[in-house]
Amino acid sequence: MQLVDQCNLCGSDNLRPFSVAFARDVVHNSIGRCADCGMFFANPMRSEDELNEFYASEYYEDSGERMVREFPLRVADAKQQLQHDVLALRPPPGRFLEVGCGYGPVLLAARELGYEVVGIEPGSEARAWAGREHGLEVRGEILERCGFEDQSFDVIYAWHVIEHVPDMTRFLKEVRRVLKPGGVFFFGTENYRCIPNRFSRAHHLMTGSLPGLDTADEHTFLFTPKLVCSVFPRFGFAVDMVRAYQPHHKRATFFAPARRGSPLKRAIHYSVLGTVYGLASAWPGGGAHLKAAVRRSDSA
């Protein structure tokens, strides 16, 4: 565990605590914020070696069977998303790299759509399965250690991966280096200042308790739509699209507190959570997830 005393994005030492988690056996237990550029990040943060070991051996430990069972459905969903979000920006043919490909459903969908595909996945079981079952080329090293040639890819895809990287500046520089001029980096992540998180934070402060992480404890860097628009141009990207949305597939988890307690308590919980969920779904920028497409902006 390493204490962060300088912002990884802007170099500022004007860092503030933001939220904490009181729990055992967590990867990170607090989130900080840079007062100058606004970036959110785990502080203190696990070292790169510790994070790599976690993703190589533990991340898919409890979900591997489910991933394999749901693989055909995930391929179909991935193909639909690529057709809707990516093909219009950088259609095949072309080289397609997925960072954090897991068992490979997006890679398989991209290959079926006409891309030449390569994946990166530190999880050894997922990586082996993708190669064995579908002949996918999947590297085990993190992006910065893969040694791809300059301007190797037309599309780089990272779905809920960017919040896991140990060094954001190094990662974004490498993404830009291996993208072709005009190439697209398409990614999804959390919207950390979404309406549900703002409500949770306000509830903690109003009841005299410290705000919780409101994110998975393994996450390292956390974005908002505003941060996407301010951070990526610093690294030579033009922002084509950024959109926050409420992930409806997590609706049951969101309303889980309304299924506990007395009838009156359940009714109150459902009323409050329903209002928060409705605002998150309808308010621009209010949803808990975001997706974005940025383009390498030079012509060299």
Side-chain angles (χ1 to χ4, degrees):
M1 193 81 79
Q2 301 170 337
L3 183 67
V4 178
D5 57 10
Q6 188 176 55
C7 178
N8 183 266
L9 274 296
C10 72
S12 171
D13 60 1
N14 191 10
L15 310 180
R16 310 283 175 82
F18 189 76
S19 58
V20 297
F22 295 104
R24 295 182 178 182
D25 301 321
V26 296
V27 180
H28 300 113
N29 56 18
S30 59
I31 300 292
R33 188 183 190 188
C34 175
D36 288 338
C37 74
M39 195 67 201
F40 299 93
F41 51 90
N43 192 16
M45 188 182 295
R46 292 286 181 183
S47 70
E48 182 175 316
D49 288 341
E50 288 174 316
L51 289 169
N52 289 342
E53 174 60 27
F54 171 77
Y55 291 116
S57 60
E58 297 180 47
Y59 192 61
Y60 284 114
E61 191 173 89
D62 298 325
S63 59
E65 290 185 6
R66 176 173 57 84
M67 293 288 186
V68 170
R69 184 173 64 252
E70 296 176 356
F71 189 82
L73 178 61
R74 291 176 180 268
V75 173
D77 288 344
K79 186 177 292 187
Q80 184 177 38
Q81 186 198 50
L82 292 176
Q83 289 172 326
H84 185 267
D85 290 326
V86 177
L87 264 64
L89 298 172
R90 199 73 169 185
R95 297 195 72 205
F96 182 105
L97 171 67
E98 184 182 9
V99 183
C101 65
Y103 286 77
V106 175
L107 285 182
L108 187 58
R111 188 172 69 184
E112 291 178 357
L113 290 170
Y115 292 104
E116 178 187 348
V117 301
V118 180
I120 295 172
E121 175 52 57
S124 56
E125 290 188 15
R127 183 173 69 249
W129 190 90
R132 181 178 67 251
E133 299 296 325
H134 296 284
L136 295 167
E137 179 187 347
V138 182
R139 309 282 186 92
E141 296 282 3
I142 63 172
L143 173 63
E144 299 91 317
R145 295 178 182 174
C146 283
F148 293 120
E149 294 183 1
D150 291 354
Q151 302 179 14
S152 297
F153 296 98
D154 299 273
V155 177
I156 298 179
Y157 180 100
W159 194 246
H160 289 259
V161 169
I162 200 168
E163 67 270 26
H164 298 269
V165 303
D167 186 329
M168 186 61 63
T169 288
R170 189 175 61 166
F171 176 77
L172 294 182
K173 286 181 176 179
E174 186 68 3
V175 168
R176 186 180 184 280
R177 184 186 71 80
V178 302
L179 267 180
K180 295 179 181 179
V184 171
F185 176 40
F186 183 87
F187 64 95
T189 187
E190 293 183 350
N191 174 17
Y192 193 53
R193 298 309 306 275
C194 62
I195 285 178
N197 285 5
R198 289 176 183 271
F199 173 81
S200 173
R201 184 173 179 82
H203 177 265
H204 278 285
L205 294 173
M206 287 167 49
T207 55
S209 58
L210 293 172
L213 294 185
D214 291 323
T215 188
D217 61 87
E218 67 267 19
H219 291 170
T220 50
F221 291 90
L222 299 160
F223 282 88
T224 66
K226 183 178 178 180
L227 280 170
V228 171
C229 293
S230 65
V231 166
F232 278 84
R234 298 183 185 187
F235 293 89
F237 294 96
V239 179
D240 278 6
M241 177 274 292
V242 57
R243 184 174 73 83
Y245 64 97
Q246 186 62 19
H248 296 300
H249 67 283
K250 294 188 175 182
R251 182 184 176 94
T253 302
F254 187 91
F255 282 98
R259 295 194 292 271
R260 299 191 293 267
S262 66
L264 178 59
K265 189 173 183 179
R266 292 199 303 269
I268 293 171
H269 273 169
Y270 191 86
S271 177
V272 172
L273 291 174
T275 300
V276 173
Y277 191 89
L279 287 171
S281 301
W283 198 278
H289 285 184
L290 66 83
K291 60 181 178 180
V294 299
R295 192 182 299 271
R296 178 169 166 162
S297 57
D298 65 347
S299 57

